[in-house]
Amino acid sequence: MISPTTDSLRHSKCVPCEGGVPVISAKEAEPFLAAVPQWSIAADGKSIARQWKFKNFVNALAFCNQIGDLAEAEQHHPDLHLTGYRLVELVLTTHAINGLSENDFILAAKIDAIES
């Protein structure tokens, strides 16, 4: 397998998943995580997460709305948390397989591009 890059992930499209896709293990996730280094894998290896701290509520909410638009376009939806009025945390997992798939890393790379 060729290791994914940030660019290759950003130029990929999430593929609808209704199950039957193999779960990416924590070990198999290592090259994907190298392409999205600001994301961390959960202790159970089933999700990746990242946090942002914004200047104010308006900026945090605008970012959440951008994520929502992107998630709809990709048909892959993160768990999105806005707390403390300006802290945003995103958790990506593929719910249909109860673990990680390539879609999680594709969406992570595309989310990272929003703030560029």
Side-chain angles (χ1 to χ4, degrees), residues 9 17 28 32-33 35 39 43 45 53 55 63 66 71 76 87 93 104 108 111 116:
L9 290 171
C17 176
E28 294 166 328
F32 288 97
L33 286 168
W39 293 77
K53 188 173 188 178
K55 182 178 178 180
F63 181 69
Q66 287 180 295
H76 191 65
L87 180 64
T93 189
D104 300 306
I111 289 167
S116 300

Side-chain angles (χ1 to χ4, degrees), residues 53-75:
K53 188 173 188 178
F54 291 89
K55 182 178 178 180
N56 55 46
F57 177 77
V58 171
N59 292 354
L61 188 58
F63 181 69
C64 290
N65 287 327
Q66 287 180 295
I67 301 303
D69 291 342
L70 175 61
E72 274 298 296
E74 291 293 323
Q75 289 299 297

Side-chain angles (χ1 to χ4, degrees), residues 23 44-47 93-100:
V23 172
D44 65 5
K46 293 182 177 186
S47 64
T93 189
T94 302
H95 298 284
I97 61 172
N98 193 31
L100 290 169

